[in-house]
Amino acid sequence: MGFSTTAIHAGQEPDEATGAVTVPIYQTSTYAQEGLGKNKGFEYARTQNPTRFAVERNIAALEGARFGYAFASGMAAIDATLRLIKGGEHVIVSDNTYGGTFRLFTKILSNYGLEFDFVNTSDVSKVEEKLKPNTRMVFLETPTNPVMIVTDLQAVSYVAHAAGARVVCDNTFMSPYLQRPLDFGVDIVVHSTTKYLNGHSDGVGGVVVLNDEEDANWLAFVQNSAGAILSPFDSWLVLRGTKTLALRMEQHDRTGRAVAAFLEEHPAVRKLYYPGSLSHPQHEIAKRQQRGFGGMVAFDVGSLDAARTVFESVKLCTLAESLGGVETLISHPATMTHASVLPETRARLGITEGLVRISVGLEDTDDIIADIDQALAKIE
Ligand code: P1T
């Protein structure tokens, strides 16, 4: 079956009781039981909820996975995934990730004996160098937030598996329409559903999908025991979102290409970060493992003053954190999403004070470009 057919139908049968074609929002905390130990498979809503089950099955199908677990946020999904690692074990992480991921690993999980090494995973030899006998996970983001570094999923999976480590990929920037990491040997995919999967900037959520049954059972246990579940309403919003995922991603991708081409030629733009550009260092890898390049584009205008001018001059683009929604959002990684990353790391990665990130929305392409054009023209 094709992607959109799966998106519209997987995990969703017409409601048995009424025939409702849309999975209802089962807004209940508990379920009546017929007798002790006699129930319909639903006991308590932290453990089981039909709306959440539907979105979990839906996203698992889109990623080509057997199991899926939905959480209250992308960070909750990542936190649950790291519960596969025990104190004394080692994790290799892409050195540019969403700032919140870096913060969770370095400020919280490292207090519990988990050991982290951050490397540029676009260079597979750097991953190999850091592998140790106690390495149990390689955590990738590709393309990375916000400087769009691309990691070769197949090459890293190969070396990690040879060393007995699982590979996790945060696929938030691509969505399963543009990239399916499990097809390249990755073991576990995480998403912030807050972004493209929901797609409308109206819900926070996260999901983990995977094939390994033992790891899946542990994640289900963590989901129920720690309890950071996705609510029925938010599950329903994500289900509504994935139905149009293919159409939305096609348009995000089209406009992303046009915006990047415009920026690449603009004299005020010192550097462009976009894997679709022929000058991107991992352009060929991106072409091989992605169906397109998506709607995320970052560019450097050289100084905080210039960036501020852009933020204060845009009229259509909205200055805000987050991405992947229908409206174009523009943000300043250095002070917003990546404020918790050490200044020297930010400098090394290119997250300068002049870096601007755009999540191109679904407005008309010409309107988005015209807005950025008039804002860039205000830079002195
Ligand atoms: O915000 P939350 O749903 O908890 O997701 C966290 C997260 C995880 N992974 C990636 C790649 C992300 O980009 C995010 C959240 N990112 C933003 C809020 C942002 O503006 O980049």
Side-chain angles (χ1 to χ4, degrees), residues 73-76 78 98 101 141 145 170 172-173 192-195 204-206 321-323 331 337-338 357:
S73 67
M75 290 320 306
I78 293 170
Y98 167 58
T101 304
E141 209 178 279
N145 181 355
D170 184 332
T172 299
F173 265 35
S192 165
T193 62
T194 315
K195 313 301 181 320
V204 173
E321 301 207 20
S322 205
L323 58 113
S331 69
T337 49
H338 292 71
R357 190 190 76 179

mmCIF file with all atom_site columns, all heavy atoms in Angstrom, residues 73-76 78 98 101 141 145 170 172-173 192-195 204-206 321-323 331 337-338 357, ligand 1:
data_model
loop_
_atom_site.group_PDB
_atom_site.id
_atom_site.type_symbol
_atom_site.label_atom_id
_atom_site.label_alt_id
_atom_site.label_comp_id
_atom_site.label_asym_id
_atom_site.label_entity_id
_atom_site.label_seq_id
_atom_site.pdbx_PDB_ins_code
_atom_site.Cartn_x
_atom_site.Cartn_y
_atom_site.Cartn_z
_atom_site.occupancy
_atom_site.B_iso_or_equiv
_atom_site.pdbx_formal_charge
_atom_site.auth_seq_id
_atom_site.auth_comp_id
_atom_site.auth_asym_id
_atom_site.auth_atom_id
_atom_site.pdbx_PDB_model_num
ATOM   1   N N   . SER A 1 73  ? 5.222  14.397 25.046 1.00 0.00 ? 73  SER A N   1
ATOM   2   C CA  . SER A 1 73  ? 6.023  15.361 24.277 1.00 0.00 ? 73  SER A CA  1
ATOM   3   C C   . SER A 1 73  ? 7.148  14.591 23.594 1.00 0.00 ? 73  SER A C   1
ATOM   4   O O   . SER A 1 73  ? 7.401  13.417 23.922 1.00 0.00 ? 73  SER A O   1
ATOM   5   C CB  . SER A 1 73  ? 6.625  16.432 25.210 1.00 0.00 ? 73  SER A CB  1
ATOM   6   O OG  . SER A 1 73  ? 7.578  15.842 26.074 1.00 0.00 ? 73  SER A OG  1
ATOM   7   N N   . GLY A 1 74  ? 7.822  15.268 22.689 1.00 0.00 ? 74  GLY A N   1
ATOM   8   C CA  . GLY A 1 74  ? 9.002  14.653 22.081 1.00 0.00 ? 74  GLY A CA  1
ATOM   9   C C   . GLY A 1 74  ? 10.043 14.339 23.142 1.00 0.00 ? 74  GLY A C   1
ATOM   10  O O   . GLY A 1 74  ? 10.680 13.283 23.111 1.00 0.00 ? 74  GLY A O   1
ATOM   11  N N   . MET A 1 75  ? 10.220 15.251 24.089 1.00 0.00 ? 75  MET A N   1
ATOM   12  C CA  . MET A 1 75  ? 11.213 15.019 25.140 1.00 0.00 ? 75  MET A CA  1
ATOM   13  C C   . MET A 1 75  ? 10.847 13.812 25.998 1.00 0.00 ? 75  MET A C   1
ATOM   14  O O   . MET A 1 75  ? 11.722 13.045 26.416 1.00 0.00 ? 75  MET A O   1
ATOM   15  C CB  . MET A 1 75  ? 11.400 16.266 26.021 1.00 0.00 ? 75  MET A CB  1
ATOM   16  C CG  . MET A 1 75  ? 12.096 17.433 25.338 1.00 0.00 ? 75  MET A CG  1
ATOM   17  S SD  . MET A 1 75  ? 13.479 17.012 24.243 1.00 0.00 ? 75  MET A SD  1
ATOM   18  C CE  . MET A 1 75  ? 14.510 16.034 25.315 1.00 0.00 ? 75  MET A CE  1
ATOM   19  N N   . ALA A 1 76  ? 9.550  13.631 26.290 1.00 0.00 ? 76  ALA A N   1
ATOM   20  C CA  . ALA A 1 76  ? 9.124  12.458 27.072 1.00 0.00 ? 76  ALA A CA  1
ATOM   21  C C   . ALA A 1 76  ? 9.410  11.175 26.290 1.00 0.00 ? 76  ALA A C   1
ATOM   22  O O   . ALA A 1 76  ? 9.796  10.149 26.867 1.00 0.00 ? 76  ALA A O   1
ATOM   23  C CB  . ALA A 1 76  ? 7.646  12.561 27.416 1.00 0.00 ? 76  ALA A CB  1
ATOM   24  N N   . ILE A 1 78  ? 11.846 10.768 24.079 1.00 0.00 ? 78  ILE A N   1
ATOM   25  C CA  . ILE A 1 78  ? 13.303 10.562 24.104 1.00 0.00 ? 78  ILE A CA  1
ATOM   26  C C   . ILE A 1 78  ? 13.730 10.062 25.487 1.00 0.00 ? 78  ILE A C   1
ATOM   27  O O   . ILE A 1 78  ? 14.541 9.136  25.613 1.00 0.00 ? 78  ILE A O   1
ATOM   28  C CB  . ILE A 1 78  ? 14.028 11.865 23.698 1.00 0.00 ? 78  ILE A CB  1
ATOM   29  C CG1 . ILE A 1 78  ? 13.745 12.172 22.220 1.00 0.00 ? 78  ILE A CG1 1
ATOM   30  C CG2 . ILE A 1 78  ? 15.536 11.769 23.957 1.00 0.00 ? 78  ILE A CG2 1
ATOM   31  C CD1 . ILE A 1 78  ? 14.205 13.545 21.744 1.00 0.00 ? 78  ILE A CD1 1
ATOM   32  N N   . TYR A 1 98  ? 18.686 18.883 18.883 1.00 0.00 ? 98  TYR A N   1
ATOM   33  C CA  . TYR A 1 98  ? 17.819 19.872 19.521 1.00 0.00 ? 98  TYR A CA  1
ATOM   34  C C   . TYR A 1 98  ? 18.382 20.161 20.923 1.00 0.00 ? 98  TYR A C   1
ATOM   35  O O   . TYR A 1 98  ? 18.802 19.233 21.615 1.00 0.00 ? 98  TYR A O   1
ATOM   36  C CB  . TYR A 1 98  ? 16.391 19.308 19.582 1.00 0.00 ? 98  TYR A CB  1
ATOM   37  C CG  . TYR A 1 98  ? 15.474 20.096 20.476 1.00 0.00 ? 98  TYR A CG  1
ATOM   38  C CD1 . TYR A 1 98  ? 15.260 21.453 20.249 1.00 0.00 ? 98  TYR A CD1 1
ATOM   39  C CD2 . TYR A 1 98  ? 14.836 19.488 21.557 1.00 0.00 ? 98  TYR A CD2 1
ATOM   40  C CE1 . TYR A 1 98  ? 14.420 22.182 21.080 1.00 0.00 ? 98  TYR A CE1 1
ATOM   41  C CE2 . TYR A 1 98  ? 13.994 20.217 22.377 1.00 0.00 ? 98  TYR A CE2 1
ATOM   42  C CZ  . TYR A 1 98  ? 13.795 21.570 22.132 1.00 0.00 ? 98  TYR A CZ  1
ATOM   43  O OH  . TYR A 1 98  ? 12.970 22.284 22.954 1.00 0.00 ? 98  TYR A OH  1
ATOM   44  N N   . THR A 1 101 ? 17.360 18.010 23.900 1.00 0.00 ? 101 THR A N   1
ATOM   45  C CA  . THR A 1 101 ? 17.921 16.649 23.964 1.00 0.00 ? 101 THR A CA  1
ATOM   46  C C   . THR A 1 101 ? 19.277 16.704 24.660 1.00 0.00 ? 101 THR A C   1
ATOM   47  O O   . THR A 1 101 ? 19.560 15.913 25.568 1.00 0.00 ? 101 THR A O   1
ATOM   48  C CB  . THR A 1 101 ? 18.061 16.080 22.528 1.00 0.00 ? 101 THR A CB  1
ATOM   49  O OG1 . THR A 1 101 ? 16.771 16.135 21.910 1.00 0.00 ? 101 THR A OG1 1
ATOM   50  C CG2 . THR A 1 101 ? 18.581 14.666 22.531 1.00 0.00 ? 101 THR A CG2 1
ATOM   51  N N   . GLU A 1 141 ? 20.508 12.446 15.223 1.00 0.00 ? 141 GLU A N   1
ATOM   52  C CA  . GLU A 1 141 ? 19.506 13.340 14.681 1.00 0.00 ? 141 GLU A CA  1
ATOM   53  C C   . GLU A 1 141 ? 19.980 13.615 13.261 1.00 0.00 ? 141 GLU A C   1
ATOM   54  O O   . GLU A 1 141 ? 21.148 13.964 13.072 1.00 0.00 ? 141 GLU A O   1
ATOM   55  C CB  . GLU A 1 141 ? 19.483 14.630 15.503 1.00 0.00 ? 141 GLU A CB  1
ATOM   56  C CG  . GLU A 1 141 ? 18.139 15.319 15.542 1.00 0.00 ? 141 GLU A CG  1
ATOM   57  C CD  . GLU A 1 141 ? 18.168 16.560 16.416 1.00 0.00 ? 141 GLU A CD  1
ATOM   58  O OE1 . GLU A 1 141 ? 18.056 16.438 17.651 1.00 0.00 ? 141 GLU A OE1 1
ATOM   59  O OE2 . GLU A 1 141 ? 18.296 17.662 15.854 1.00 0.00 ? 141 GLU A OE2 1
ATOM   60  N N   . ASN A 1 145 ? 19.113 19.703 14.003 1.00 0.00 ? 145 ASN A N   1
ATOM   61  C CA  . ASN A 1 145 ? 18.474 20.966 14.362 1.00 0.00 ? 145 ASN A CA  1
ATOM   62  C C   . ASN A 1 145 ? 19.532 21.843 15.038 1.00 0.00 ? 145 ASN A C   1
ATOM   63  O O   . ASN A 1 145 ? 20.015 21.466 16.098 1.00 0.00 ? 145 ASN A O   1
ATOM   64  C CB  . ASN A 1 145 ? 17.329 20.625 15.327 1.00 0.00 ? 145 ASN A CB  1
ATOM   65  C CG  . ASN A 1 145 ? 16.544 21.830 15.784 1.00 0.00 ? 145 ASN A CG  1
ATOM   66  O OD1 . ASN A 1 145 ? 16.880 22.947 15.468 1.00 0.00 ? 145 ASN A OD1 1
ATOM   67  N ND2 . ASN A 1 145 ? 15.495 21.568 16.556 1.00 0.00 ? 145 ASN A ND2 1
ATOM   68  N N   . ASP A 1 170 ? 16.286 10.406 15.705 1.00 0.00 ? 170 ASP A N   1
ATOM   69  C CA  . ASP A 1 170 ? 15.238 11.413 15.862 1.00 0.00 ? 170 ASP A CA  1
ATOM   70  C C   . ASP A 1 170 ? 14.894 11.898 14.450 1.00 0.00 ? 170 ASP A C   1
ATOM   71  O O   . ASP A 1 170 ? 15.691 12.579 13.808 1.00 0.00 ? 170 ASP A O   1
ATOM   72  C CB  . ASP A 1 170 ? 15.751 12.563 16.743 1.00 0.00 ? 170 ASP A CB  1
ATOM   73  C CG  . ASP A 1 170 ? 14.674 13.603 17.022 1.00 0.00 ? 170 ASP A CG  1
ATOM   74  O OD1 . ASP A 1 170 ? 13.764 13.756 16.188 1.00 0.00 ? 170 ASP A OD1 1
ATOM   75  O OD2 . ASP A 1 170 ? 14.752 14.276 18.068 1.00 0.00 ? 170 ASP A OD2 1
ATOM   76  N N   . THR A 1 172 ? 12.338 13.796 13.498 1.00 0.00 ? 172 THR A N   1
ATOM   77  C CA  . THR A 1 172 ? 11.381 14.908 13.570 1.00 0.00 ? 172 THR A CA  1
ATOM   78  C C   . THR A 1 172 ? 11.455 15.824 12.352 1.00 0.00 ? 172 THR A C   1
ATOM   79  O O   . THR A 1 172 ? 10.422 16.244 11.825 1.00 0.00 ? 172 THR A O   1
ATOM   80  C CB  . THR A 1 172 ? 11.646 15.724 14.852 1.00 0.00 ? 172 THR A CB  1
ATOM   81  O OG1 . THR A 1 172 ? 11.466 14.864 15.982 1.00 0.00 ? 172 THR A OG1 1
ATOM   82  C CG2 . THR A 1 172 ? 10.714 16.908 14.962 1.00 0.00 ? 172 THR A CG2 1
ATOM   83  N N   . PHE A 1 173 ? 12.663 16.166 11.899 1.00 0.00 ? 173 PHE A N   1
ATOM   84  C CA  . PHE A 1 173 ? 12.796 17.148 10.810 1.00 0.00 ? 173 PHE A CA  1
ATOM   85  C C   . PHE A 1 173 ? 12.300 16.609 9.470  1.00 0.00 ? 173 PHE A C   1
ATOM   86  O O   . PHE A 1 173 ? 11.946 17.385 8.594  1.00 0.00 ? 173 PHE A O   1
ATOM   87  C CB  . PHE A 1 173 ? 14.265 17.587 10.664 1.00 0.00 ? 173 PHE A CB  1
ATOM   88  C CG  . PHE A 1 173 ? 14.601 18.846 11.417 1.00 0.00 ? 173 PHE A CG  1
ATOM   89  C CD1 . PHE A 1 173 ? 14.011 19.132 12.632 1.00 0.00 ? 173 PHE A CD1 1
ATOM   90  C CD2 . PHE A 1 173 ? 15.515 19.758 10.899 1.00 0.00 ? 173 PHE A CD2 1
ATOM   91  C CE1 . PHE A 1 173 ? 14.318 20.296 13.328 1.00 0.00 ? 173 PHE A CE1 1
ATOM   92  C CE2 . PHE A 1 173 ? 15.826 20.932 11.581 1.00 0.00 ? 173 PHE A CE2 1
ATOM   93  C CZ  . PHE A 1 173 ? 15.227 21.193 12.794 1.00 0.00 ? 173 PHE A CZ  1
ATOM   94  N N   . SER A 1 192 ? 9.228  14.154 17.703 1.00 0.00 ? 192 SER A N   1
ATOM   95  C CA  . SER A 1 192 ? 8.354  15.109 18.359 1.00 0.00 ? 192 SER A CA  1
ATOM   96  C C   . SER A 1 192 ? 7.165  15.227 17.422 1.00 0.00 ? 192 SER A C   1
ATOM   97  O O   . SER A 1 192 ? 7.285  15.789 16.332 1.00 0.00 ? 192 SER A O   1
ATOM   98  C CB  . SER A 1 192 ? 9.066  16.463 18.508 1.00 0.00 ? 192 SER A CB  1
ATOM   99  O OG  . SER A 1 192 ? 8.109  17.454 18.818 1.00 0.00 ? 192 SER A OG  1
ATOM   100 N N   . THR A 1 193 ? 6.003  14.688 17.830 1.00 0.00 ? 193 THR A N   1
ATOM   101 C CA  . THR A 1 193 ? 4.808  14.783 16.959 1.00 0.00 ? 193 THR A CA  1
ATOM   102 C C   . THR A 1 193 ? 4.270  16.210 16.927 1.00 0.00 ? 193 THR A C   1
ATOM   103 O O   . THR A 1 193 ? 3.421  16.542 16.095 1.00 0.00 ? 193 THR A O   1
ATOM   104 C CB  . THR A 1 193 ? 3.680  13.836 17.417 1.00 0.00 ? 193 THR A CB  1
ATOM   105 O OG1 . THR A 1 193 ? 3.266  14.204 18.738 1.00 0.00 ? 193 THR A OG1 1
ATOM   106 C CG2 . THR A 1 193 ? 4.122  12.381 17.412 1.00 0.00 ? 193 THR A CG2 1
ATOM   107 N N   . THR A 1 194 ? 4.769  17.022 17.871 1.00 0.00 ? 194 THR A N   1
ATOM   108 C CA  . THR A 1 194 ? 4.438  18.455 17.909 1.00 0.00 ? 194 THR A CA  1
ATOM   109 C C   . THR A 1 194 ? 4.654  19.109 16.547 1.00 0.00 ? 194 THR A C   1
ATOM   110 O O   . THR A 1 194 ? 4.017  20.114 16.230 1.00 0.00 ? 194 THR A O   1
ATOM   111 C CB  . THR A 1 194 ? 5.384  19.144 18.926 1.00 0.00 ? 194 THR A CB  1
ATOM   112 O OG1 . THR A 1 194 ? 5.455  18.345 20.107 1.00 0.00 ? 194 THR A OG1 1
ATOM   113 C CG2 . THR A 1 194 ? 4.943  20.544 19.255 1.00 0.00 ? 194 THR A CG2 1
ATOM   114 N N   . LYS A 1 195 ? 5.549  18.534 15.741 1.00 0.00 ? 195 LYS A N   1
ATOM   115 C CA  . LYS A 1 195 ? 6.007  19.158 14.509 1.00 0.00 ? 195 LYS A CA  1
ATOM   116 C C   . LYS A 1 195 ? 5.198  18.645 13.318 1.00 0.00 ? 195 LYS A C   1
ATOM   117 O O   . LYS A 1 195 ? 4.010  18.811 13.288 1.00 0.00 ? 195 LYS A O   1
ATOM   118 C CB  . LYS A 1 195 ? 7.515  18.917 14.379 1.00 0.00 ? 195 LYS A CB  1
ATOM   119 C CG  . LYS A 1 195 ? 8.299  19.226 15.677 1.00 0.00 ? 195 LYS A CG  1
ATOM   120 C CD  . LYS A 1 195 ? 8.113  20.656 16.105 1.00 0.00 ? 195 LYS A CD  1
ATOM   121 C CE  . LYS A 1 195 ? 8.844  21.110 17.333 1.00 0.00 ? 195 LYS A CE  1
ATOM   122 N NZ  . LYS A 1 195 ? 8.987  20.310 18.488 1.00 0.00 ? 195 LYS A NZ  1
ATOM   123 N N   . VAL A 1 204 ? 1.226  19.233 21.633 1.00 0.00 ? 204 VAL A N   1
ATOM   124 C CA  . VAL A 1 204 ? 2.582  18.779 21.950 1.00 0.00 ? 204 VAL A CA  1
ATOM   125 C C   . VAL A 1 204 ? 2.528  17.261 22.160 1.00 0.00 ? 204 VAL A C   1
ATOM   126 O O   . VAL A 1 204 ? 1.635  16.767 22.852 1.00 0.00 ? 204 VAL A O   1
ATOM   127 C CB  . VAL A 1 204 ? 3.107  19.492 23.224 1.00 0.00 ? 204 VAL A CB  1
ATOM   128 C CG1 . VAL A 1 204 ? 4.448  18.913 23.673 1.00 0.00 ? 204 VAL A CG1 1
ATOM   129 C CG2 . VAL A 1 204 ? 3.239  20.989 22.969 1.00 0.00 ? 204 VAL A CG2 1
ATOM   130 N N   . GLY A 1 205 ? 3.476  16.546 21.556 1.00 0.00 ? 205 GLY A N   1
ATOM   131 C CA  . GLY A 1 205 ? 3.475  15.090 21.736 1.00 0.00 ? 205 GLY A CA  1
ATOM   132 C C   . GLY A 1 205 ? 4.750  14.466 21.209 1.00 0.00 ? 205 GLY A C   1
ATOM   133 O O   . GLY A 1 205 ? 5.586  15.133 20.596 1.00 0.00 ? 205 GLY A O   1
ATOM   134 N N   . GLY A 1 206 ? 4.891  13.160 21.465 1.00 0.00 ? 206 GLY A N   1
ATOM   135 C CA  . GLY A 1 206 ? 6.065  12.436 20.981 1.00 0.00 ? 206 GLY A CA  1
ATOM   136 C C   . GLY A 1 206 ? 5.723  10.986 20.749 1.00 0.00 ? 206 GLY A C   1
ATOM   137 O O   . GLY A 1 206 ? 4.703  10.482 21.251 1.00 0.00 ? 206 GLY A O   1
ATOM   138 N N   . GLU A 1 321 ? 9.374  29.649 18.576 1.00 0.00 ? 321 GLU A N   1
ATOM   139 C CA  . GLU A 1 321 ? 10.007 28.333 18.624 1.00 0.00 ? 321 GLU A CA  1
ATOM   140 C C   . GLU A 1 321 ? 9.052  27.353 17.951 1.00 0.00 ? 321 GLU A C   1
ATOM   141 O O   . GLU A 1 321 ? 7.886  27.652 17.747 1.00 0.00 ? 321 GLU A O   1
ATOM   142 C CB  . GLU A 1 321 ? 10.257 27.916 20.073 1.00 0.00 ? 321 GLU A CB  1
ATOM   143 C CG  . GLU A 1 321 ? 11.146 28.904 20.794 1.00 0.00 ? 321 GLU A CG  1
ATOM   144 C CD  . GLU A 1 321 ? 11.943 28.300 21.946 1.00 0.00 ? 321 GLU A CD  1
ATOM   145 O OE1 . GLU A 1 321 ? 12.128 27.077 21.985 1.00 0.00 ? 321 GLU A OE1 1
ATOM   146 O OE2 . GLU A 1 321 ? 12.383 29.084 22.795 1.00 0.00 ? 321 GLU A OE2 1
ATOM   147 N N   . SER A 1 322 ? 9.551  26.161 17.669 1.00 0.00 ? 322 SER A N   1
ATOM   148 C CA  . SER A 1 322 ? 8.814  25.073 17.031 1.00 0.00 ? 322 SER A CA  1
ATOM   149 C C   . SER A 1 322 ? 8.919  25.136 15.517 1.00 0.00 ? 322 SER A C   1
ATOM   150 O O   . SER A 1 322 ? 9.539  26.058 14.941 1.00 0.00 ? 322 SER A O   1
ATOM   151 C CB  . SER A 1 322 ? 7.357  25.001 17.462 1.00 0.00 ? 322 SER A CB  1
ATOM   152 O OG  . SER A 1 322 ? 6.885  23.659 17.279 1.00 0.00 ? 322 SER A OG  1
ATOM   153 N N   . LEU A 1 323 ? 8.334  24.152 14.870 1.00 0.00 ? 323 LEU A N   1
ATOM   154 C CA  . LEU A 1 323 ? 8.483  23.965 13.420 1.00 0.00 ? 323 LEU A CA  1
ATOM   155 C C   . LEU A 1 323 ? 7.431  22.965 12.955 1.00 0.00 ? 323 LEU A C   1
ATOM   156 O O   . LEU A 1 323 ? 6.748  22.348 13.767 1.00 0.00 ? 323 LEU A O   1
ATOM   157 C CB  . LEU A 1 323 ? 9.885  23.427 13.107 1.00 0.00 ? 323 LEU A CB  1
ATOM   158 C CG  . LEU A 1 323 ? 10.264 22.105 13.786 1.00 0.00 ? 323 LEU A CG  1
ATOM   159 C CD1 . LEU A 1 323 ? 10.425 20.987 12.774 1.00 0.00 ? 323 LEU A CD1 1
ATOM   160 C CD2 . LEU A 1 323 ? 11.567 22.237 14.557 1.00 0.00 ? 323 LEU A CD2 1
ATOM   161 N N   . SER A 1 331 ? 13.054 31.581 13.665 1.00 0.00 ? 331 SER A N   1
ATOM   162 C CA  . SER A 1 331 ? 13.553 31.544 15.042 1.00 0.00 ? 331 SER A CA  1
ATOM   163 C C   . SER A 1 331 ? 15.053 31.813 15.104 1.00 0.00 ? 331 SER A C   1
ATOM   164 O O   . SER A 1 331 ? 15.748 31.786 14.081 1.00 0.00 ? 331 SER A O   1
ATOM   165 C CB  . SER A 1 331 ? 13.212 30.201 15.694 1.00 0.00 ? 331 SER A CB  1
ATOM   166 O OG  . SER A 1 331 ? 13.975 29.183 15.097 1.00 0.00 ? 331 SER A OG  1
ATOM   167 N N   . THR A 1 337 ? 15.964 27.811 20.832 1.00 0.00 ? 337 THR A N   1
ATOM   168 C CA  . THR A 1 337 ? 15.983 26.340 20.941 1.00 0.00 ? 337 THR A CA  1
ATOM   169 C C   . THR A 1 337 ? 17.301 25.763 21.436 1.00 0.00 ? 337 THR A C   1
ATOM   170 O O   . THR A 1 337 ? 17.338 24.645 21.933 1.00 0.00 ? 337 THR A O   1
ATOM   171 C CB  . THR A 1 337 ? 15.686 25.711 19.567 1.00 0.00 ? 337 THR A CB  1
ATOM   172 O OG1 . THR A 1 337 ? 16.537 26.346 18.584 1.00 0.00 ? 337 THR A OG1 1
ATOM   173 C CG2 . THR A 1 337 ? 14.242 25.909 19.185 1.00 0.00 ? 337 THR A CG2 1
ATOM   174 N N   . HIS A 1 338 ? 18.406 26.501 21.257 1.00 0.00 ? 338 HIS A N   1
ATOM   175 C CA  . HIS A 1 338 ? 19.717 25.951 21.612 1.00 0.00 ? 338 HIS A CA  1
ATOM   176 C C   . HIS A 1 338 ? 20.427 26.793 22.671 1.00 0.00 ? 338 HIS A C   1
ATOM   177 O O   . HIS A 1 338 ? 21.648 26.749 22.793 1.00 0.00 ? 338 HIS A O   1
ATOM   178 C CB  . HIS A 1 338 ? 20.563 25.764 20.343 1.00 0.00 ? 338 HIS A CB  1
ATOM   179 C CG  . HIS A 1 338 ? 20.009 24.688 19.455 1.00 0.00 ? 338 HIS A CG  1
ATOM   180 N ND1 . HIS A 1 338 ? 18.839 24.855 18.740 1.00 0.00 ? 338 HIS A ND1 1
ATOM   181 C CD2 . HIS A 1 338 ? 20.412 23.412 19.224 1.00 0.00 ? 338 HIS A CD2 1
ATOM   182 C CE1 . HIS A 1 338 ? 18.568 23.739 18.084 1.00 0.00 ? 338 HIS A CE1 1
ATOM   183 N NE2 . HIS A 1 338 ? 19.503 22.849 18.359 1.00 0.00 ? 338 HIS A NE2 1
ATOM   184 N N   . ARG A 1 357 ? 16.727 30.513 11.646 1.00 0.00 ? 357 ARG A N   1
ATOM   185 C CA  . ARG A 1 357 ? 16.142 29.249 11.186 1.00 0.00 ? 357 ARG A CA  1
ATOM   186 C C   . ARG A 1 357 ? 14.718 29.496 10.718 1.00 0.00 ? 357 ARG A C   1
ATOM   187 O O   . ARG A 1 357 ? 13.956 30.189 11.407 1.00 0.00 ? 357 ARG A O   1
ATOM   188 C CB  . ARG A 1 357 ? 16.151 28.234 12.334 1.00 0.00 ? 357 ARG A CB  1
ATOM   189 C CG  . ARG A 1 357 ? 15.793 26.830 11.903 1.00 0.00 ? 357 ARG A CG  1
ATOM   190 C CD  . ARG A 1 357 ? 15.583 25.910 13.090 1.00 0.00 ? 357 ARG A CD  1
ATOM   191 N NE  . ARG A 1 357 ? 14.298 26.158 13.727 1.00 0.00 ? 357 ARG A NE  1
ATOM   192 C CZ  . ARG A 1 357 ? 13.842 25.478 14.782 1.00 0.00 ? 357 ARG A CZ  1
ATOM   193 N NH1 . ARG A 1 357 ? 14.574 24.545 15.328 1.00 0.00 ? 357 ARG A NH1 1
ATOM   194 N NH2 . ARG A 1 357 ? 12.664 25.760 15.303 1.00 0.00 ? 357 ARG A NH2 1
HETATM 195 O O1  . P1T B 2 .   ? 9.010  19.937 22.068 1.00 0.00 ? 1   P1T B O1  1
HETATM 196 P P1  . P1T B 2 .   ? 8.881  18.444 22.149 1.00 0.00 ? 1   P1T B P1  1
HETATM 197 O O2  . P1T B 2 .   ? 7.626  17.901 21.548 1.00 0.00 ? 1   P1T B O2  1
HETATM 198 O O3  . P1T B 2 .   ? 9.159  17.907 23.517 1.00 0.00 ? 1   P1T B O3  1
HETATM 199 O O4  . P1T B 2 .   ? 10.036 17.863 21.181 1.00 0.00 ? 1   P1T B O4  1
HETATM 200 C C1  . P1T B 2 .   ? 11.397 17.996 21.450 1.00 0.00 ? 1   P1T B C1  1
HETATM 201 C C2  . P1T B 2 .   ? 12.186 17.883 20.175 1.00 0.00 ? 1   P1T B C2  1
HETATM 202 C C3  . P1T B 2 .   ? 12.817 16.683 19.877 1.00 0.00 ? 1   P1T B C3  1
HETATM 203 N N1  . P1T B 2 .   ? 13.530 16.523 18.761 1.00 0.00 ? 1   P1T B N1  1
HETATM 204 C C4  . P1T B 2 .   ? 13.670 17.516 17.857 1.00 0.00 ? 1   P1T B C4  1
HETATM 205 C C5  . P1T B 2 .   ? 14.483 17.308 16.617 1.00 0.00 ? 1   P1T B C5  1
HETATM 206 C C6  . P1T B 2 .   ? 13.043 18.751 18.085 1.00 0.00 ? 1   P1T B C6  1
HETATM 207 O O5  . P1T B 2 .   ? 13.191 19.721 17.174 1.00 0.00 ? 1   P1T B O5  1
HETATM 208 C C7  . P1T B 2 .   ? 12.298 18.952 19.286 1.00 0.00 ? 1   P1T B C7  1
HETATM 209 C C8  . P1T B 2 .   ? 11.656 20.248 19.608 1.00 0.00 ? 1   P1T B C8  1
HETATM 210 N N2  . P1T B 2 .   ? 12.121 21.320 18.856 1.00 0.00 ? 1   P1T B N2  1
HETATM 211 C C9  . P1T B 2 .   ? 11.690 22.624 18.966 1.00 0.00 ? 1   P1T B C9  1
HETATM 212 C C10 . P1T B 2 .   ? 10.777 23.031 19.854 1.00 0.00 ? 1   P1T B C10 1
HETATM 213 C C11 . P1T B 2 .   ? 12.320 23.560 18.021 1.00 0.00 ? 1   P1T B C11 1
HETATM 214 O O6  . P1T B 2 .   ? 11.821 24.687 17.828 1.00 0.00 ? 1   P1T B O6  1
HETATM 215 O O7  . P1T B 2 .   ? 13.342 23.187 17.445 1.00 0.00 ? 1   P1T B O7  1
#
